[in-house]
Amino acid sequence: MKNREIATVFAQMADLMEILGENPFRVNSYRKSSRTLEELTESVEELAATDRLMEIPGVGKGTAEKIREYLANGSIAAHQELLAKVPAGLPGLLAVPGLGPKTLAKLWKQAAVTTLEELKTALGDPARIQAVDGMGPKKARQLLDSLAFLESGTHRIRRDQAEALAARLMAALCKEPSAKKVQAAGSLRRGKETVGDIDLLCQAPPSAAQRIIADFTTASGVLRVLAGGDTKGSVLLEGDIQADLRVVGAKGFGAALMYFTGSKEHNVRLRELAVKRGLKLNEYGLFRGDKMVAGADEEGIYKSLGLPFVPPELREDRGELAAAAEGKLPALLELADIRGDLHMHTTASDGTNTIEEMVAACRARGYAYLAICDHSKSQVQAHGLDEARLARHVAEIRRVAKKHDDILVLAGVEVDIFKDGSLDFARSVLEKLDFVTASPHSALGQGAAEATARLITAIESGCVHCIGHPSGRLINARPGMELDIEAIAAAAAGHNVALEVNADPMRLDLRDIHVRAAIAAGAKIIINTDAHRTESLELMRYGVSNARRGWATRHDVINTYPHQKLLKWLHDRR
Ligand code: DGT
Ligand code: CA
Ligand code: CA
Ligand code: ZN
């Protein structure tokens, strides 16, 4: 429902009218409508469709009209007119705690403040502050503190959450026909597990730039406009995440994309390389003197620096440029290399779909195999299987498996690893299964030494094929166990046990740098979704990009193996 979106627009209209010194009665009426919409439980779409908008308390004819206008056009003309009357960056300044529309209006009119930067400068200049009605050193100090708080208060959101927010903005920009390309840059493009802010780039002719910036600053999900210019804009999104957009022409698009993809450290190294070749690299292009050598695409820039294209996931200044210079960049794993998923749940434990449904969904993805791995008995809250139920479940999996000759259905289990490394099922039980993943689910506060010993004990048991979500972390929610990844990977390599990259964007466990360490120690990995419903099989791509950030090639990943090779691996390690 669009209630909140419209409430946000009304609130901003009230702020703008107050800044512009309009009738306080009208200001209040917009503010009231905004609050009413915010608290309304029925959707405005529904109310509009049944012609009941005026039944909303405080909503009169004019307001109802504007709601209908928003539902029809996605914007309100009166709102756009108000926005046009103030500098683009001004409304965004209201994000500074303690800075209301009245004070802001004075700072704008009496001290020419229109951006965060100017606000900061003005607040630090006693002479300018003196000139503003009602402002004194104390108020200036408070606002400077708020600004510092705002700037330090950076929090990072999960990559999947950032992706969803970015997708909405990108869809808004794509509507503009002269937008030739709309692309994510920054940490989002590099596939980092969390994102500090969203960076977007749009390729378009300069004549369209302002329209595109306007589409961006008025897109759905935008709470406030932080800055708006001729070629760039910044907004604050729901969830207090910032998004930055640059509009760039075709000639320098690659250079801008490279610059804003980062990482900053990778860029620093690249610029050093350029200097060594007598070139200059910046966000506009690669130059020899005044002459542009490359800039339209990233490939051309890397090439002019004597390098192959470096995939964004590797651009972290972790040795990728040295490897590139020596022609030793890994041929990174691709999503298309994945031939199966070896960790998923069904209604037998805490999943929502049946064995048949999971198999059908895996076939639809074109997989050659899958393993059903439901929980073991100590996972009581997840309805974990005891020996008797497991035996019946395995019989059922095998019955379903027989019906399909185009996909291999393995009967597996996700057996709990207790805190001392022992397993929730006896060897005699585990030996009857085709595939065993062993995972830690409890006592995740263990120290590194204990946790490492715990996992190594499980690896050495000779009963398991894979260690599931080895650290047990949940991004932004639970740190999980600290692991000595070298020691664990060495044990895994020695016993031919794989380590899981759990693809759930809440987990991404092993994390990127641990994937790299595990591979370097000779361990194999398996990328699994741990799907609890058919839709979650889709999360595989997050696991793949996380593994790419760990320099994984398809040779490092067991579930890229063709069916026969997988069977051989399963067999060899028993
Ligand atoms: P984040 O947002 O914290 O998840 O990480 P990034 O990498 O997206 O960082 P962000 O948004 O501050 O900047 C996006 C890219 O822009 C960054 O990866 C490289 C480039 N960039 C930004 N500021 C600078 C800078 O001061 N120097 C250089 N060389 N590059 C910068
Ligand atoms: Ca960023
Ligand atoms: Ca940024
Ligand atoms: Zn699990």
Side-chain angles (χ1 to χ4, degrees):
M1 57 191 216
K2 304 242 189 249
N3 300 24
R4 274 201 62 190
E5 276 176 36
I6 302 175
T8 307
V9 172
F10 282 169
Q12 193 176 54
M13 288 177 74
D15 288 342
L16 289 167
M17 290 190 293
E18 196 167 6
I19 289 172
L20 292 165
E22 292 188 13
N23 181 343
F25 176 77
R26 288 193 61 213
V27 171
N28 268 335
S29 118
Y30 273 100
R31 218 158 256 152
K32 233 158 119 192
S33 305
S34 169
R35 266 198 302 274
T36 313
L37 283 180
E38 191 98 49
E39 286 158 12
L40 198 66
T41 47
E42 202 170 345
S43 84
V44 284
E45 291 95 318
E46 180 65 32
L47 288 166
T50 50
D51 209 14
R52 289 184 295 135
L53 282 174
M54 306 243 307
E55 289 173 20
I56 306 173
V59 169
K61 213 167 148 208
T63 315
E65 259 323 302
K66 292 200 172 58
I67 294 175
R68 265 186 233 107
E69 184 184 349
Y70 188 90
L71 291 176
N73 308 334
S75 67
I76 297 171
H79 178 220
Q80 302 301 322
E81 282 160 24
L82 285 167
L83 276 174
K85 288 186 189 162
V86 302
L90 206 66
L93 297 185
L94 293 170
V96 179
L99 183 55
K102 284 205 187 75
T103 312
L104 182 55
K106 288 184 213 153
L107 282 165
W108 170 35
K109 290 185 182 136
Q110 299 168 16
V113 167
T114 62
T115 65
L116 272 179
E117 267 323 299
E118 286 164 5
L119 176 63
K120 207 159 46 181
T121 324
L123 290 172
D125 178 348
R128 270 175 87 186
I129 285 308
Q130 282 305 313
V132 179
D133 283 351
M135 282 289 293
K138 193 163 157 230
K139 179 81 187 160
R141 184 75 257 151
Q142 279 170 358
L143 286 175
L144 274 173
D145 288 348
S146 298
L147 265 180
F149 170 81
L150 196 68
E151 284 170 353
S152 73
T154 47
H155 65 293
R156 308 183 62 82
I157 58 171
R158 284 196 328 256
R159 157 153 193 227
D160 55 314
Q161 298 169 319
E163 222 180 66
L165 292 168
R168 275 165 83 177
L169 294 174
M170 290 165 83
L173 302 180
C174 286
K175 274 190 254 160
E176 173 64 45
S178 50
K180 292 279 173 285
K181 267 185 217 160
V182 179
Q183 185 159 6
S187 51
L188 189 57
R189 180 164 181 239
R190 301 200 309 280
K192 266 188 85 158
E193 62 192 37
T194 61
V195 166
D197 74 6
I198 295 168
D199 303 286
L200 299 178
L201 226 58
C202 177
Q203 183 189 316
S207 58
Q210 268 193 335
R211 262 198 328 273
I212 292 171
I213 299 289
D215 289 343
F216 176 68
T217 53
T218 55
S220 91
V222 171
L223 282 186
R224 286 182 195 285
V225 180
L226 300 175
D230 294 341
T231 59
K232 56 186 176 187
S234 285
V235 296
L236 192 70
L237 301 174
E238 288 164 7
D240 273 346
I241 280 297
Q242 187 176 327
D244 299 332
L245 170 71
R246 300 266 174 154
V247 182
V248 200
K251 219 176 87 197
F253 184 76
L257 181 60
M258 182 181 248
Y259 182 87
F260 291 105
T261 295
S263 68
K264 202 167 155 180
E265 294 74 17
H266 177 86
N267 289 350
V268 168
R269 295 266 171 266
L270 277 177
R271 282 202 296 274
E272 289 169 1
L273 273 180
V275 169
K276 276 195 200 134
R277 294 183 163 242
L279 300 166
K280 202 179 103 199
L281 177 64
N282 58 31
E283 63 177 286
Y284 307 106
L286 181 66
F287 299 90
R288 184 180 304 281
D290 290 339
K291 192 174 163 282
M292 185 151 159
V293 178
D297 55 51
E298 290 183 327
E299 285 82 357
I301 300 172
Y302 281 115
K303 196 165 170 224
S304 302
L305 294 172
L307 299 170
F309 179 79
V310 179
E313 294 94 330
L314 299 186
R315 300 184 195 172
E316 298 289 349
D317 190 25
R318 293 177 182 158
E320 68 277 9
L321 288 176
E326 292 169 29
K328 286 186 180 155
L329 278 181
L332 293 183
L333 168 79
E334 310 259 355
L335 181 58
D337 295 327
I338 298 291
R339 298 187 191 222
D341 193 332
L342 298 175
H343 181 176
M344 66 192 71
H345 297 262
T346 69
T347 47
S349 64
D350 59 348
T352 39
N353 291 100
T354 61
I355 301 168
E356 287 276 11
E357 287 163 349
M358 294 311 282
V359 172
C362 287
R363 282 181 75 212
R365 295 183 64 82
Y367 284 163
Y369 45 80
L370 69 133
I372 304 280
C373 293
D374 276 300
H375 287 289
S376 60
K377 60 181 185 279
S378 71
Q379 285 301 298
V380 178
Q381 77 295 340
H383 202 46
L385 302 160
D386 61 17
E387 286 80 354
R389 282 178 54 223
L390 177 67
R392 287 200 295 276
H393 184 46
V394 167
E396 183 59 18
I397 297 170
R398 298 208 196 286
R399 190 186 67 76
V400 172
K402 280 213 185 75
K403 296 204 290 192
H404 300 279
D405 52 10
D406 57 348
I407 186 164
L408 173 69
V409 181
L410 299 171
V413 77
E414 178 181 22
V415 64
D416 241 54
I417 307 177
F418 295 139
K419 64 179 176 197
D420 63 354
S422 61
L423 303 172
D424 199 7
F425 284 131
R427 169 185 298 269
S428 57
V429 174
L430 296 173
E431 275 174 348
K432 295 200 181 86
L433 298 159
D434 305 323
F435 184 75
V436 176
T437 285
S439 314
H441 287 110
S442 54
L444 299 174
Q446 270 178 333
E450 271 179 305
T452 301
R454 173 188 192 174
L455 296 192
I456 291 178
T457 301
I459 288 167
E460 290 175 342
S461 70
C463 299
V464 310
H465 297 92
C466 181
I467 303 294
H469 47 73
S471 83
R473 72 152 172 180
L474 294 177
I475 293 172
N476 281 352
R478 179 171 81 197
M481 303 188 289
E482 249 182 77
L483 303 175
D484 178 345
I485 189 66
E486 272 89 14
I488 291 166
H495 289 80
N496 202 8
V497 168
L499 299 176
E500 182 178 79
V501 169
N502 193 292
D504 186 327
M506 285 171 62
R507 292 190 180 271
L508 297 177
D509 181 11
L510 299 178
R511 63 175 59 199
D512 53 5
I513 51 174
H514 283 183
V515 173
R516 188 156 173 206
I519 291 170
K524 295 287 185 211
I525 61 174
I526 302 184
I527 306 176
N528 290 321
T529 60
D530 194 356
H532 284 66
R533 55 179 67 243
T534 52
E535 295 85 354
S536 305
L537 293 167
E538 216 273 307
L539 302 177
M540 184 60 82
R541 64 199 171 88
Y542 293 112
V544 169
S545 67
N546 192 54
R548 286 167 63 90
R549 288 180 56 82
W551 293 47
T553 70
R554 69 188 163 83
H555 307 291
D556 302 312
V557 181
I558 301 283
N559 53 322
T560 64
Y561 289 0
H563 164 166
Q564 287 304 332
K565 192 172 172 192
L566 175 77
L567 285 176
K568 183 171 174 344
W569 181 77
L570 291 172
H571 181 262
D572 282 356
R573 37 155 340 292
R574 279 258 166 105

